[in-house]
Amino acid sequence: ADIAGDRAGAVYVFGHNLGLWEQQQEITAKDAQPFDRFGWQLSLSGHTLIVGTYWTGAIRLTCTRSDEYESCFFVWQLS
């Protein structure tokens, strides 16, 4: 679900458990706005996830931003 509005974006984390893939977490931007497109780019290395946002800011002056998340005991948190 796009809680913050039209195309605000989200990242869905899945894990493999007993032969099945299941959703473990939904990650959304803490300052999500419509049309941000949070999650439009991703980079994962070990326990670090970088999530790209296409637009940020109320008047859309910033074209890209990235947030870094760290995994601790299978929970991704903004670092």
Side-chain angles (χ1 to χ4, degrees), residues 6-29:
D6 193 26
R7 296 184 195 110
V11 173
Y12 297 91
V13 178
F14 286 81
H16 196 252
N17 185 19
L18 300 174
L20 299 172
W21 286 98
E22 49 189 38
Q23 183 178 330
Q24 295 179 335
Q25 187 173 351
E26 176 185 31
I27 302 172
T28 56

Side-chain angles (χ1 to χ4, degrees), residues 36-78:
D36 279 352
R37 293 183 174 97
F38 177 82
W40 82 295
Q41 288 185 329
L42 300 172
S43 178
L44 176 64
S45 178
H47 296 279
T48 302
L49 173 66
I50 305 296
V51 179
T53 302
Y54 189 75
W55 292 108
T56 60
I59 55 174
R60 304 289 183 229
L61 293 177
T62 305
C63 291
T64 58
R65 182 185 84 195
S66 61
D67 296 320
E68 181 176 335
Y69 292 82
E70 296 288 331
S71 174
C72 181
F73 297 105
F74 306 103
V75 175
W76 292 94
Q77 299 176 17
L78 193 58

